[in-house]
Amino acid sequence: MSSSAPLAAPEIDLRRATYLAELAQGTERFHAPRRDSCPWCGGQRLTTRLTAPDVIQRKPGTFTLDACDDCAHVFQNPGLTPEGMAFYHRDRDQYERPPSRRRNRQRVRAMLHLPEPESWLDVGTGDGDFPAVAQELLPYTSFDGTDPTPRVLRARATERVEEAYVGHLTTPGLLAQLRARYDVVSVFHRLEQCPSPREELLAAIAALRPGGHLILELTNPHSAFAALLGKWWPGHAQPGQVHLIPLPNVHKALESHNCTVLATDECTPHTPTDLATAATRALAQALPSPDTPWRATPPTVLQHTARAALTPATIPVRLTAAALDHTLAPVLRRTGFSNAYRVIARKNPVP
């Protein structure tokens, strides 16, 4: 079960002392001061949407998502400090699944009606999975990538991107290098995870040449699955999902910064994994915990045995949930259950 897969035992033993030393000081210090205003519009009418633990790695701590009653922006409040982000994001790679080749090809095809670009920047590219697929359909396009982690350097080493930049687009000095440089900038499910999504969006626009195109994919905070599945919904996954941005907010931000929205798709970007992911995480919570370096003591032999015995019993539940996801997908993606949306916009030339 991917949401509870432990590290190898020797590695856990080496890391346990480090984690326990950090946790001995408490988790409150990992949280920044609570905001009294919306980071998107500045509105001060906030409502708590959700309080949840770390549902992926199950590290100690509790997180709250607030919603702005003025613009419907949803955000983690209080957010994490840089130290908190380092703590909760450490070891996270093993729990993440990259988008499928099919998904990435679908994203490229959404742009194929436009002239083939010479240069493309993929923001938050990670290991460069998207550029690797996109190059197959756009062989004459040069792909660069940014990522807040050194994974983008691996993408360059494997020639998935030509140039690699570590950091958010808003990192001091980075945007100065990339301003007005690209024909296309893509941002796939990264605005939700960055500290300042509005500023990151504006930086993505700034990296475009006049006449260039921006393609965005974001989690849909209005999906009916959000209310149905609560803390287990993939779009709510704490502490990774820092912001959930409604489509109208994105439209307004683009239009107010000299961009024309060319296409909006609330159907195709839907990923049929809501029920299966929720079931997997809920079942993992119910099972005896695996050994992880943030546990004070390793599981006992009895706990290991119980987990090994009970895990196979969850397979029918997870398979049924996955089958429902895919069977119902044609209907769900055309209704209020769609969990994502895509926007393509053009940066207008300055008159």
Side-chain angles (χ1 to χ4, degrees), residues 42-339:
Q44 296 186 334
R45 298 189 302 135
L46 306 179
T47 303
T48 297
R49 174 172 169 133
L50 180 78
T51 299
D54 179 344
V55 298
I56 300 176
Q57 299 185 79
R58 285 187 279 162
K59 291 181 177 179
T62 302
F63 311 91
T64 298
L65 289 175
D66 281 352
C68 174
D69 292 339
D70 294 328
C71 73
H73 182 85
V74 178
F75 63 103
Q76 192 181 78
N77 192 23
L80 293 174
T81 62
E83 186 180 19
M85 292 179 68
F87 177 84
Y88 285 106
H89 290 184
R90 194 185 312 153
D91 298 318
R92 194 177 66 174
D93 288 358
Q94 63 172 320
Y95 299 90
E96 294 182 343
R97 292 183 179 179
S100 65
R101 285 179 54 83
R102 179 180 178 183
R103 172 69 60 188
N104 281 329
R105 290 176 71 87
Q106 183 188 87
R107 290 166 169 169
V108 181
R109 289 194 181 102
M111 302 292 288
L112 291 183
H113 64 288
L114 300 169
E116 183 168 353
E118 293 183 6
S119 57
W120 187 313
L121 177 68
D122 188 39
V123 177
T125 197
D127 293 317
D129 295 296
F130 171 74
V133 172
Q135 287 170 5
E136 298 172 4
L137 298 176
L138 297 169
Y140 300 108
T141 299
S142 170
F143 287 89
D144 296 343
T146 72
D147 198 82
T149 74
R151 292 166 60 191
V152 68
L153 302 179
R154 298 203 299 263
R156 182 178 61 190
T158 55
E159 299 183 347
R160 290 183 162 191
V161 297
E162 293 192 19
E163 295 188 28
Y165 303 93
V166 179
H168 294 286
L169 272 182
T170 52
T171 301
L174 180 54
L175 184 58
Q177 293 179 258
L178 304 182
R179 186 177 297 276
R181 182 169 166 180
Y182 293 96
D183 296 315
V184 176
V185 173
S186 54
V187 190
F188 300 127
H189 292 283
R190 295 299 174 181
L191 294 182
E192 300 97 318
Q193 300 175 14
C194 66
S196 305
R198 189 180 183 92
E199 289 74 13
E200 193 81 1
L201 175 59
L202 301 187
I205 296 171
L208 283 171
R209 295 170 179 160
H213 294 87
L214 179 68
I215 176 170
L216 307 169
E217 271 188 22
L218 294 96
T219 302
N220 175 15
H222 297 316
S223 170
F225 275 126
L228 180 66
L229 301 177
K231 67 181 179 180
W232 305 119
W233 182 51
H236 279 153
Q238 290 300 293
Q241 293 286 80
V242 184
H243 298 274
L244 295 171
I245 311 167
L247 176 59
N249 292 9
V250 174
H251 276 184
K252 290 177 183 177
L254 291 170
E255 291 166 355
S256 65
H257 287 82
N258 198 37
C259 291
T260 298
V261 175
L262 302 180
T264 297
D265 186 352
E266 299 179 74
C267 173
T268 310
H270 173 76
T271 305
T273 58
D274 299 273
L275 297 174
T277 301
T280 296
R281 291 173 178 170
L283 289 167
Q285 177 90 7
L287 291 172
S289 298
D291 194 10
T292 52
W294 44 92
R295 282 189 56 146
T297 57
T300 64
V301 173
L302 179 60
Q303 289 172 320
H304 268 303
T305 303
R307 184 176 182 82
L310 293 172
T311 297
T314 69
I315 293 175
V317 177
R318 290 184 286 131
L319 290 178
T320 299
L324 285 171
D325 276 327
H326 288 276
T327 301
L328 297 175
V331 175
L332 297 178
R333 63 169 35 105
R334 289 175 171 81
T335 65
F337 285 89
S338 178
N339 58 26

